[in-house]
Amino acid sequence: RFASLGDNVALCSLECVWVVTLQQLLARSSTVEAATLDQATRRLERVAALLRGLHGASLERLAARDDGAWRERAVYVRLHLLQGALRLYRGEAHDARSDLARAESLRQELSICPHDQPKIASLLELGVPLRSARAALLATGKDVTRAAEFALTRHAAEVAEERDAAERRRQTRALVQSLVAMGFGPRKAAAA
């Protein structure tokens, strides 16, 4: 619970920097005040520190998760993109290029691209639905073997859950029928 609160603080701060910077750009055509850049930079440093505290310096806590934590990792695309934009406005072109390249690399990692189609096709051949195949690839860092295991395990769990739910419904119907056979009305039996 505390991790999600920290994540929310980081996301809100990231959004604030994004909105204020865009507002400055729109209001002043192409210049951003140095004080605004300084404030945005400080906020982004705070966001990065919060995220490091939550996810680890090398995202090791996210990497340890079975689902790949791709939604959480997507925040880093926005963080690096905004860091790059601010550095570009500061005239730090080399650092800006580095941040923007990190954002693009991570974006590609978290997106299904045309070159991923053979991986999707192999999962479809295993009977994995398209949506599940895409989600499994993203959750496993586009590793086809792990994605297949992930999707098939998840599918098996869903089938087991549906089977258990069907069995609970069958047992409920049997109990209602027993109560009706004892003389209770159908509505009262169902309510019991």
Side-chain angles (χ1 to χ4, degrees):
R1 181 179 170 145
F2 290 119
S4 67
L5 291 175
D7 207 19
N8 288 339
V9 169
L11 292 175
C12 287
S13 295
L14 187 62
E15 292 300 324
C16 287
V17 172
W18 192 258
V19 168
V20 169
T21 304
L22 288 176
Q23 184 180 27
Q24 287 289 315
L25 287 174
L26 293 173
R28 295 198 172 57
S29 298
S30 64
T31 60
V32 177
E33 293 178 14
T36 301
L37 287 174
D38 291 342
Q39 182 182 28
T41 301
R42 282 192 305 277
R43 282 192 177 174
L44 284 183
E45 288 169 358
R46 183 171 175 245
V47 167
L50 283 168
L51 292 173
R52 272 193 309 274
L54 290 167
H55 304 145
S58 302
L59 306 184
E60 59 271 9
R61 291 188 195 102
L62 293 181
R65 289 179 39 180
D66 289 338
D67 64 357
W70 59 274
R71 286 185 178 101
E72 289 83 356
R73 292 172 59 219
V75 171
Y76 288 90
V77 174
R78 295 166 62 203
L79 175 63
H80 297 315
L81 180 62
L82 194 47
Q83 286 172 326
L86 289 175
R87 285 187 172 145
L88 191 60
Y89 276 103
R90 287 185 171 285
E92 302 166 1
H94 178 68
D95 290 336
R97 266 193 295 279
S98 174
D99 286 331
L100 296 173
R102 285 173 69 190
E104 176 58 16
S105 173
L106 187 53
R107 186 200 63 78
Q108 286 181 3
E109 193 179 307
L110 298 173
S111 303
I112 300 295
C113 304
H115 68 272
D116 296 318
Q117 292 308 317
K119 295 175 182 181
I120 295 222
S122 65
L123 292 172
L124 294 175
E125 288 174 11
L126 293 173
V128 176
L130 178 61
R131 186 172 183 191
S132 297
R134 294 171 64 87
L137 274 176
L138 291 175
T140 59
K142 299 186 183 180
D143 180 319
V144 179
T145 304
R146 287 181 46 223
E149 180 182 339
F150 181 86
L152 295 174
T153 300
R154 190 174 234 180
H155 178 70
E158 289 169 0
V159 166
E161 177 59 35
E162 180 55 38
R163 186 182 59 240
D164 292 346
E167 177 60 21
R168 286 190 300 273
R169 287 190 300 272
R170 188 197 64 73
Q171 288 175 352
T172 300
R173 279 193 305 274
L175 289 171
V176 168
Q177 289 172 352
S178 296
L179 291 172
V180 169
M182 290 181 201
F184 290 95
R187 285 189 181 161
K188 286 186 178 183

